[in-house]
Amino acid sequence: MAGLMALTCKLLVSHLKPDEIDISLSIKRKLGPAHGLAFGVLSSITVFLVSSVFFLLAVDLFYDVFL
Amino acid sequence: VSLSEKVFKLIIMCVFALLNYLPDLKYVFKATPLAMGALVVSSLILIISIAFNTDNITMDFLKIKPLSAADVLAVASINGFAFICHPSVSPMIKENSDQTQNDKAVYSGYAVTTVLYLIVGVLGALSIYGRVPTMDKASYNIIDYFSGQFQAPIIGFLTFLYLFMISPIFPYVSKNQAIELIPKEKREKIPRLWLKVTVIFSILWFICNILFILLDTAPTVVIGFISTVLSYYVTYFLPIFMCFKVGDYVAKGVPQNLEESLIVHEKEGDIETAESNTLMAAKPPLQNESIITEYNQTVVEEGPPKQKWLKIFYFSVLGYGTVMLIFELISFFT
């Protein structure tokens, strides 16, 4: 599973141009604005939730260790 | 969960919220080796803990346990979620000093992560096997299994350190992706756009975390569903669909000047044609003009032999991803 994900991640990354700072730009360029928008929205929400999960886990550990 | 714990978490949340305002990730990248070191050391302590758990480890550990549909979904979602951020944060490889090593950076990132997951998953399970966590809250973490023992504060502190140092990456990426959704011409007209997006992000982040803390719950259900759908779209569908659409199954990356010279822009957009990309991927090492013409015709019509096998392989990968998606959605809704 990790191998397949690494392969497909590499496929996405290899389409990046030097001036593109995010995958959503190369997706928009290659597949059109609809896919660029879909990826941007979904990815942004997911990374936002990951940020929340990291905080909740960190603060849980912090409380258990120090208090 | 006591009121004092909730208040404490809300106060710490303000400290974490300041990380949302980091203008770039240069300090985060400097701290990354330290963060990874903390993670590796905490994993090693987890492994050492197996020696203190030998009384609980029996042959029963090796028996396959029956799992409910909910358990299978949880495991599948966690596995998917564990890797889901890689494509989202992978453009950070542009920070590499040597851009020719980007492929290696992607593969080694997955390899290190997978090895750590395997170590923590298998050996970590041995270290806590037979132990009962202190279950006085809705969700518990690894150190609840080592309550009162020497491992708990060390693993807890090191893992906290890792999470704290890595955490600014996610707001940074999420904000940038949100900004990219705004059309360029509108983006340039909005003053202090970065600050405004950061403030909006922070407000949403506060609301989300306050709800999870006050309701004393973990966002696993929401994240499980989103990661199931997103992991299929980002991990399987998009990269493979992109290969089929542009006709580049090798995707080795093309030198900038060659790519620029071969790109054929369509009238209404900036979508590259399949023909140009197939030619780019093939890169024929031929000199004679007639042979080149013949070769190009073959490439455009049929593609080189290697690409045919890759096409079949990617179809199989997409099929595997689709089956996984259907299975996970059925599990989720039943």
Side-chain angles (χ1 to χ4, degrees):
Chain A
M1 186 176 175
L4 291 180
M5 286 183 158
L7 176 74
T8 53
C9 180
K10 181 248 168 188
L11 286 178
L12 281 178
V13 168
S14 60
H15 287 106
L16 273 173
K17 274 185 170 184
D19 59 336
E20 288 173 336
I21 59 162
D22 194 74
I23 287 174
S24 61
L25 296 174
S26 63
I27 290 170
K28 194 193 281 184
R29 177 169 52 84
K30 296 268 186 182
L31 299 178
H35 281 288
L37 182 70
F39 174 81
V41 170
L42 287 171
S43 184
S44 186
I45 291 170
T46 308
V47 180
F48 173 84
L49 288 170
V50 172
S51 171
S52 182
V53 169
F54 261 58
F55 162 71
L56 291 169
L57 184 55
V59 77
D60 205 35
L61 287 165
F62 193 80
Y63 185 83
D64 284 350
V65 170
F66 294 104
L67 297 171
Chain B
V1 175
S2 64
L3 183 64
S4 62
E5 183 177 339
K6 287 181 180 175
V7 172
F8 171 81
K9 288 180 176 178
L10 292 175
I11 292 168
I12 295 294
M13 189 166 66
C14 297
V15 178
F16 266 77
L18 293 175
L19 299 175
N20 296 341
Y21 290 84
L22 282 178
D24 55 53
L25 295 177
K26 60 182 177 186
Y27 294 114
V28 178
F29 286 124
K30 281 181 183 170
T32 302
L34 188 63
M36 285 308 295
L39 191 65
V40 169
V41 173
S42 72
S43 302
L44 287 174
I45 291 170
L46 210 56
I47 295 166
I48 292 167
S49 302
I50 297 172
F52 298 90
N53 196 34
T54 46
D55 293 343
N56 290 329
I57 300 170
T58 61
M59 289 304 287
D60 188 54
F61 179 80
L62 297 173
K63 287 181 184 171
I64 296 172
K65 316 289 188 298
L67 289 173
S68 66
D71 290 333
V72 174
L73 170 71
V75 172
S77 296
I78 289 167
N79 275 333
F81 192 67
F83 292 106
I84 194 72
C85 284
H86 285 243
S88 295
V89 301
S90 54
M92 283 196 305
I93 59 169
K94 285 178 175 292
E95 302 288 337
N96 284 349
S97 52
D98 184 359
Q99 289 296 307
T100 60
Q101 303 294 314
N102 284 351
D103 285 358
K104 281 184 185 172
V106 171
Y107 287 133
S108 57
Y110 271 91
V112 169
T113 317
T114 308
V115 168
L116 278 173
Y117 287 153
L118 283 173
I119 289 172
V120 176
V122 178
L123 300 179
L126 275 171
S127 70
I128 62 169
Y129 192 70
R131 292 177 188 266
V132 180
T134 50
M135 287 283 288
D136 60 342
K137 47 191 176 179
S139 61
Y140 51 91
N141 55 57
I142 186 78
I143 67 170
D144 291 324
Y145 287 92
F146 299 110
S147 187
Q149 297 181 32
F150 79 95
Q151 301 98 320
I154 303 172
I155 294 174
F157 177 71
L158 290 173
T159 312
F160 168 78
L161 206 61
Y162 165 76
L163 294 170
F164 183 78
M165 287 190 280
I166 295 294
S167 61
I169 291 173
F170 303 110
Y172 182 80
V173 172
S174 184
K175 283 185 298 180
N176 275 335
Q177 287 180 337
I179 289 171
E180 288 298 332
L181 294 175
I182 305 168
K184 198 174 179 182
E185 58 276 15
K186 285 185 182 175
R187 215 184 304 157
E188 287 165 355
K189 290 176 185 171
I190 303 172
R192 295 180 181 176
L193 176 63
W194 183 87
L195 185 63
K196 284 175 183 171
V197 171
T198 305
V199 170
I200 293 168
F201 179 91
S202 298
I203 291 168
L204 292 173
W205 190 82
F206 262 103
I207 293 169
C208 186
N209 287 331
I210 286 171
L211 281 175
F212 286 132
I213 289 171
L214 295 182
L215 297 173
D216 193 22
T217 183
T220 46
V221 176
V222 183
I223 288 176
F225 181 73
I226 292 178
S227 71
T228 299
V229 177
L230 186 71
S231 65
Y232 174 76
Y233 181 68
V234 175
T235 309
Y236 298 108
F237 180 79
L238 263 185
I240 294 172
F241 179 60
M242 193 185 279
C243 284
F244 287 146
K245 178 99 176 176
V246 301
D248 178 6
Y249 305 105
V250 181
K252 277 191 172 179
V254 181
Q256 186 69 13
N257 55 350
L258 179 61
E259 186 170 11
E260 292 295 347
S261 66
L262 287 171
I263 286 173
V264 180
H265 294 286
E266 290 186 345
K267 282 183 182 176
E268 294 178 0
D270 196 20
I271 303 170
E272 294 165 20
T273 62
E275 183 179 334
S276 66
N277 281 279
T278 310
L279 289 169
M280 279 190 285
K283 289 188 273 185
L286 304 171
Q287 300 300 321
N288 187 293
E289 196 174 323
S290 62
I291 298 174
I292 291 174
T293 309
E294 189 183 339
Y295 184 90
N296 286 348
Q297 282 172 351
T298 311
V299 167
V300 172
E301 287 166 11
E302 299 174 14
K306 191 182 175 186
Q307 295 210 20
K308 284 182 181 174
W309 287 109
L310 281 173
K311 202 172 177 179
I312 295 167
F313 174 67
Y314 290 147
F315 255 125
S316 310
V317 173
L318 191 60
Y320 164 79
T322 309
V323 170
M324 287 293 288
L325 175 73
I326 293 167
F327 173 72
E328 287 179 21
L329 287 178
I330 290 171
S331 303
F332 189 85
F333 287 111
T334 55

